[in-house]
Amino acid sequence: MKKINLGITAFAAVAIIFTGCGKKNTSPEPTADTKFESTIDAAYANAVVTEVEDIAAYLADDNTPSSKLFANAGSSGTISYTTVPGSAYAIAYNGTVTCIDGRKRSGVVSVNFSSAPANSKSYRKPGYRATVTLTGYEVDGVKVRVNGPSAVNSFTIFNATPTASFNARATSLVWEIDGDFTLASATDSMTWKGKLTKMLTNSTNSLVMAGNNFTTSPILWSKNTSTATPGAFLTYKGTIEGKVNKKTEDYKFEMSSDPSMMMSRDYNCSPDKIIIRTAPTLSVMTVNSEWHPYSAGMATITVASESEPRVIDFANGSPVGSSCDNSVFITVKSTTYPVNLKK
């Protein structure tokens, strides 16, 4: 009886082993982590804040009436400027204005630089310091608000270019942008809080910034083929935190500080074309848009609902300078996906 029982026991054990192995082999593979909506929103918030700072840069660098980047492209709205010499600039988008970067804007952007040193009253001058406020500002239907107590609901810009032994032909201009924003549309909302360091890497080119003491003329941001002006090349670094998905999920957006992988925008890159209608003859012409997206560099985004960090390649695998679109590569756990960002 013992031999028989042992034989049955051994057979049962083998059967259990085979049954267990069968179950293990038929387990489903893990589902790929391909939820990118929150990542796209975080990147979009950063792009909008970048563009608000662009407006302030134009205003504060003596470029008010000829601000090509954000001029009216012939829409029903109008643009008006306010200047307090040596103290403040403001641009008002009256009605809904279609600008030359293809975006629709309304509201007011005001720049107060009264606290800047007397010799640093322009955006391009080292030591320049300003506070920027937004009043009813919207872009493409997204309301953009600067957070904080009502008396200080502004963000700051500081020209942090080193001044010791400065040589404009050898030292690139650099700024620090510090702020706390909320972006809200009819269907979604998100926040952006942090500090960016922005460098105009080719400010050393006399066609981008003339002269050696910053007093000759404003920065020439846009490309101009007739004068051989190359257009600005900007790099950014910093860490941003906030909330996405109707402000319910925390995210962290970390830009690479490696010089070879810093996020950048090239004003030679204009992926869109827009139609401009001019009065009084209402002639129509098509031109390259002055919308210049991030087109190179790397960043890591971590979002609570997305189980793995995302690494974003803004050059979508292309060499620097050859990518000119709003698509990226997002890598999750060694797997790379092509993704289109929001404009």
Side-chain angles (χ1 to χ4, degrees):
M1 288 297 294
K2 287 182 180 180
K3 288 183 180 179
I4 293 173
N5 286 340
L6 286 173
I8 293 172
T9 303
F11 179 80
V14 171
I16 291 170
I17 291 172
F18 276 108
T19 302
C21 289
K23 288 183 179 178
K24 184 176 181 180
N25 288 339
T26 57
S27 297
E29 293 294 325
T31 303
D33 184 7
T34 58
K35 182 182 177 184
F36 299 126
E37 290 83 358
S38 296
T39 298
I40 292 170
D41 282 350
Y44 172 75
N46 187 66
V48 170
V49 170
T50 298
E51 290 169 5
V52 172
E53 197 276 336
D54 281 349
I55 297 173
Y58 265 79
L59 285 173
D61 203 38
D62 310 329
N63 227 357
T64 305
S66 59
S67 178
K68 179 181 177 183
L69 181 58
F70 300 104
N72 192 330
S75 65
S76 58
T78 61
I79 291 178
S80 58
Y81 296 95
T82 303
T83 302
V84 179
S87 180
Y89 291 116
I91 183 171
Y93 299 98
N94 307 302
T96 299
V97 180
T98 301
C99 301
I100 296 183
D101 62 349
R103 293 185 179 277
K104 298 181 185 297
R105 292 183 171 84
S106 59
V108 181
V109 179
S110 306
V111 182
N112 187 311
F113 53 96
S114 57
S115 63
N119 62 345
S120 301
K121 294 290 187 180
S122 293
Y123 182 82
R124 64 185 179 275
K125 295 182 179 181
Y128 167 85
R129 188 180 297 275
T131 57
V132 183
T133 57
L134 307 179
T135 305
Y137 179 74
E138 293 188 23
V139 55
D140 292 336
V142 176
K143 298 178 180 179
V144 184
R145 184 181 74 242
V146 184
N147 300 317
S150 58
V152 292
N153 57 341
S154 58
F155 69 97
T156 62
I157 300 174
F158 171 59
N159 188 321
T161 309
T163 56
S165 303
F166 180 79
N167 180 346
R169 300 283 73 84
T171 305
S172 298
L173 293 178
V174 61
W175 297 266
E176 294 176 353
I177 300 103
D178 196 344
D180 182 353
F181 298 80
T182 292
L183 290 72
S185 68
T187 58
D188 201 2
S189 58
M190 60 200 76
T191 62
W192 183 107
K193 184 177 182 179
K195 179 183 286 188
L196 292 182
T197 299
K198 167 186 173 181
M199 179 181 286
L200 178 57
T201 63
N202 61 347
S203 65
T204 54
N205 186 325
S206 61
L207 294 174
V208 175
M209 191 183 71
N212 293 319
N213 59 1
F214 310 106
T215 60
T216 306
S217 61
I219 296 167
L220 297 177
W221 300 93
S222 299
K223 179 180 178 179
N224 188 321
T225 53
S226 63
T227 60
T229 305
F233 189 89
L234 301 165
T235 60
Y236 298 80
K237 63 180 179 179
T239 297
I240 310 305
E241 295 183 343
K243 291 182 179 294
V244 287
N245 191 17
K246 298 182 180 179
K247 296 191 293 187
T248 61
E249 295 181 288
D250 294 327
Y251 76 87
K252 189 174 185 179
F253 187 113
E254 298 175 277
M255 301 178 181
S256 176
S257 59
D258 183 330
S260 66
M261 294 189 292
M262 289 174 64
M263 288 175 56
S264 63
R265 298 168 63 225
D266 185 352
Y267 277 45
N268 276 309
C269 168
S270 298
D272 292 348
K273 292 185 181 294
I274 62 170
I275 296 175
I276 296 180
R277 296 176 175 83
T278 58
T281 59
L282 294 180
S283 60
V284 177
M285 60 180 176
T286 301
V287 300
N288 285 329
S289 167
E290 285 290 343
W291 174 59
H292 308 289
Y294 286 97
S295 55
M298 309 285 283
T300 300
I301 298 182
T302 305
V303 181
S305 66
E306 298 170 350
S307 58
E308 298 290 338
R310 276 87 169 104
V311 177
I312 302 183
D313 174 7
F314 286 86
N316 53 51
S318 303
V320 173
S322 62
S323 172
C324 184
D325 54 34
N326 204 33
S327 62
V328 298
F329 280 173
I330 297 181
T331 299
V332 186
K333 294 184 69 173
S334 302
T335 302
T336 300
Y337 308 87
V339 176
N340 290 322
L341 298 180
K342 290 182 183 178
K343 178 179 176 182

